[in-house]
Amino acid sequence: MAKQTIFGRIAQLAKANINALIDQAEDPQLMLDQLVRDYTGSIQEAESAIAQTIGNLRLLEDDHREDVENAQEWGRKALAASSKADELRSSGDTAGADKFDALARVALTRQMQSEGEAKSAEPSIASQTEVVERLKTGLQKMREKLGELTAKRNELVARSKTVEAQSTVQDAIKSIDIMDPTSEVSRFEEKIRREEARVRGQEELAASSLDAQFENLEDIGEMTEVEARLAALKAGGSAPKAVTAG
């Protein structure tokens, strides 16, 4: 039951779609923080359970290796006892030969027992090995997912801080925006523009007055010439010649 629970948890966490979870979350950062904590805790539990499973597998392997070595050792003892029995029988010591043949039979029996125990343990070892590999693979996926979660969380935190900083900067810029018609700078600029316009108006008015004065001088010059010609008529009786431009 414990193994099934571990398998289920690993499978569920390893298949989690982070982007989908983020889209569904009201507060993605809080959700990712919680997921990181959940994954970290689950990984620690899984590591402990997998370590125990691996330990059990290693015990099975040790017992299997010991059974194999025992079978080999009993086989060597059986061979040695059988060889001694043959040697004694060839020398005429039948009783001694029978004794060593009996020892050979005992050794062979022990060899068969050890071989049977080793063989019976092999399916369990194979099954446990498969379980351990699956658990290791799942654990590795969980670790990768945790790395993905941590990176996503850090990215969101960084983006959040960037947005906050940008908002602060924009607020600061807005508060000193010289184009803002309500700002003191804008009102001061408008005052200067009006003063500049007033000065231009004065200059234009002054220029108009000067032109008028020159026009009056031209009119006076024409009247003076008229008077001169009239005086010449009275004095000489003939109209004075017009002065041509030099």
Side-chain angles (χ1 to χ4, degrees), residues 12-245:
Q12 181 180 6
L13 293 176
K15 292 179 181 178
N17 188 325
I18 296 175
N19 292 327
L21 292 174
I22 291 175
D23 292 340
Q24 296 171 5
E26 294 182 3
D27 191 329
Q29 183 177 339
L30 288 179
M31 183 273 295
L32 285 173
D33 287 341
Q34 185 60 48
L35 278 178
V36 168
R37 287 191 292 269
D38 291 344
Y39 264 72
T40 301
S42 296
I43 286 174
Q44 291 174 349
E45 293 178 10
E47 286 175 342
S48 177
I50 293 172
Q52 183 177 354
T53 303
I54 292 174
N56 293 337
L57 173 60
R58 298 299 174 250
L59 286 176
L60 287 175
E61 291 174 340
D62 290 343
D63 291 342
H64 178 267
R65 182 168 49 253
E66 185 177 351
D67 288 334
V68 171
E69 291 175 353
N70 286 339
Q72 294 172 348
E73 179 64 22
W74 284 116
R76 286 192 292 270
K77 288 180 178 180
L79 178 61
S82 177
S83 298
K84 185 63 176 178
D86 292 343
E87 179 183 344
L88 292 174
R89 186 169 284 107
S90 64
S91 65
D93 188 354
T94 303
D98 291 341
K99 179 181 177 181
F100 277 96
D101 278 340
L103 289 175
R105 291 186 182 93
V106 172
L108 289 172
T109 301
R110 297 290 181 85
Q111 182 187 35
M112 292 171 62
Q113 290 176 348
S114 296
E115 288 175 348
E117 291 175 359
K119 187 174 182 180
S120 65
E122 290 174 356
S124 296
I125 292 175
S127 176
Q128 285 293 90
T129 299
E130 182 181 355
V131 168
V132 167
E133 291 304 317
R134 289 170 60 189
L135 288 172
K136 283 182 177 179
T137 300
L139 181 61
Q140 180 59 32
K141 289 182 179 180
M142 286 177 64
R143 287 170 175 164
E144 292 173 357
K145 190 68 70 173
L146 176 59
E148 184 180 349
L149 280 170
T150 303
K152 182 65 71 173
R153 180 193 61 183
N154 294 341
E155 176 191 349
L156 286 179
V157 170
R159 288 168 58 186
S160 176
K161 290 182 179 179
T162 299
V163 170
E164 183 179 352
Q166 289 176 338
S167 178
T168 301
V169 171
Q170 289 299 323
D171 290 341
I173 292 175
K174 184 178 180 181
S175 66
I176 60 173
D177 187 359
I178 62 174
M179 300 303 295
D180 185 357
T182 63
S183 69
E184 293 297 327
V185 175
S186 180
R187 283 197 292 270
F188 183 59
E189 182 183 12
E190 183 63 22
K191 181 179 179 181
I192 293 175
R193 290 179 66 247
R194 291 182 181 278
E195 185 66 19
E196 290 172 344
R198 185 184 66 79
V199 171
R200 287 200 305 270
Q202 290 178 339
E203 292 175 349
E204 187 174 333
L205 181 60
S208 298
S209 298
L210 187 61
D211 290 342
Q213 292 177 17
F214 276 108
E215 289 177 359
N216 290 334
L217 287 176
E218 291 177 358
D219 291 342
I220 293 173
E222 290 179 359
M223 292 300 299
T224 301
E225 184 177 352
V226 169
E227 292 296 327
R229 291 191 180 195
L230 178 60
L233 286 175
K234 291 182 177 295
S238 61
K241 293 182 181 181
V243 178
T244 61

